[in-house]
Amino acid sequence: MLISSKDLLLTARAGGFAIPHFNFWDEISARTHVAAAEQKHVPILLAWAQKHEADISIDEALNLGKFYGAQAKVPIVLHLDHGFSPDLVKYGVNHGFTSVMIDASAEKFDKNVAMTKDVVDYAHQRGVVVEAEIGHVGTGLSEDDANQYTEVEAAVEFVKRTQVDSLAVSIGTSHGVYKSAKTPHLNFERLSELRKAVPIPLVLHGGSSSGDDNLNKAARLGITKVNIYTDLANAALHEAQAQKYASVLKMIEAEQDAIKSLDEHYIDVFDTVKLNQVETATALGAL
């Protein structure tokens, strides 16, 4: 079933766990993410990012997401990830995404506020929740790079002015592949400060290869959603290459097994509660 992310993230915030956010880039990955969620009996965010539109268009992603999400035996949030264009994000709002992200984090603070508020006003009128980002999560960071940690006062002001539903914060993770083989150092002190000061769910981008202990601790300290893409894509690619002399069917099966195994691993890392526990929390008024 397709649902909004609002109640899920609020429940995760109250319970000290995180909901998995798995990006899909084709039919195989979309179907496999849903299968993993059903196997583990947990809700997930099934996400398409604007940067993947050269490989899979927004309309193709909507068709796949709505099809697999609607028939799923567990709640599925169909999420538009890293929408840099407000027009594209609004298109997503109108055509079936149940959650969207407007990413103006590379802009100056006031422009980020203005772009985000515009999308929030538009989406809320249509019953869709919005994620935004403040404090830019880098790309391929090494340990020596100066990551732009999210400032607490700026985050509080941003939420107040935009009325956004969830906020992606920067505490030391990176998009893509890390340049260093070392597990990144995460600023848990900053995360704790943000959790106390910011009244909405916090989310973490760049979860891939950021360390299981790091991610588990982040979930316990206030991260309600963790984005995973690079590890999944690399695992699928590795298996496909390993099966290059096998049949197409064997190649697809190998990709599915690799993706599903990682999905289930990260669900365990995030301490994502099983569906009946989410329903119980909701019934008890944890939202």
Side-chain angles (χ1 to χ4, degrees), residues 4-274:
S4 167
S5 65
K6 190 175 183 69
D7 289 350
L8 286 181
L9 297 190
L10 288 171
T11 302
R13 189 175 193 267
F17 62 91
I19 305 293
H21 165 131
F22 297 136
N23 287 90
F24 69 97
W25 56 93
D26 59 12
E27 191 269 343
I28 294 172
S29 54
R31 182 176 69 235
T32 306
H33 293 329
V34 172
E38 290 179 332
Q39 178 70 30
K40 300 293 283 186
H41 205 55
V42 299
I44 65 167
L45 279 85
L46 183 65
W48 171 85
Q50 183 178 349
K51 69 178 182 179
H52 294 144
E53 62 184 343
D55 302 310
I56 175 173
S57 72
I58 188 171
D59 289 320
E60 291 174 305
L62 279 163
N63 287 335
L64 285 172
K66 286 191 286 188
F67 176 77
Y68 286 111
Q71 69 176 12
K73 299 181 180 68
V74 294
I76 302 293
V77 178
L78 183 56
H79 180 70
L80 194 163
D81 185 30
H82 285 292
F84 302 105
S85 163
D87 288 341
L88 181 136
V89 175
K90 291 175 182 178
Y91 182 90
V93 167
N94 288 329
H95 289 84
F97 282 103
T98 61
S99 172
V100 297
M101 179 191 185
I102 176 65
D103 184 359
S105 60
E107 305 289 348
K108 298 291 187 180
F109 181 82
D110 285 342
K111 186 170 183 180
N112 190 354
V113 166
M115 289 176 64
T116 300
K117 188 176 188 308
D118 173 60
V119 170
V120 167
D121 290 346
Y122 187 89
H124 282 183
Q125 291 174 7
R126 293 157 178 81
V128 176
V129 296
V130 181
E131 173 187 334
E133 182 175 322
I134 181 171
H136 192 58
V137 178
T139 302
L141 290 175
S142 69
E143 194 171 330
D144 296 327
D145 285 315
N147 197 24
Q148 300 173 27
Y149 294 129
T150 300
E151 297 177 358
V152 177
E153 291 183 4
V156 171
E157 181 68 13
F158 184 85
V159 171
K160 180 180 178 181
R161 289 171 59 179
T162 63
Q163 296 299 299
V164 72
D165 299 287
S166 62
L167 188 65
V169 294
S170 176
I171 59 169
T173 56
S174 171
H175 292 119
V177 178
Y178 288 99
K179 295 176 182 177
S180 169
K182 297 179 181 179
T183 301
H185 171 75
L186 302 192
N187 190 334
F188 292 114
E189 181 179 356
R190 179 62 54 87
L191 172 58
S192 295
E193 293 169 350
L194 287 164
R195 172 63 175 81
K196 291 176 183 177
V198 177
I200 62 172
L202 304 176
V203 306
L204 186 67
H205 290 227
S208 290
S209 299
S210 291
D212 291 352
D213 291 342
N214 274 343
L215 296 178
N216 180 269
K217 185 174 181 179
R220 288 186 282 110
L221 290 179
I223 291 296
T224 64
K225 172 175 81 77
V226 181
N227 290 28
I228 302 292
Y229 165 66
T230 302
D231 280 353
L232 299 168
N234 286 344
L237 177 61
H238 174 79
E239 288 302 322
Q241 290 174 336
Q243 299 290 330
K244 62 182 177 180
Y245 296 118
S247 66
V248 173
L249 181 58
K250 286 289 186 182
M251 185 180 295
I252 292 174
E253 289 176 349
E255 287 184 50
Q256 288 175 318
D257 288 345
I259 294 169
K260 190 167 182 285
S261 177
L262 264 181
D263 282 354
E264 293 178 358
H265 170 77
Y266 276 119
I267 288 168
D268 290 339
V269 169
F270 303 154
D271 286 333
T272 310
V273 299
K274 293 185 182 296

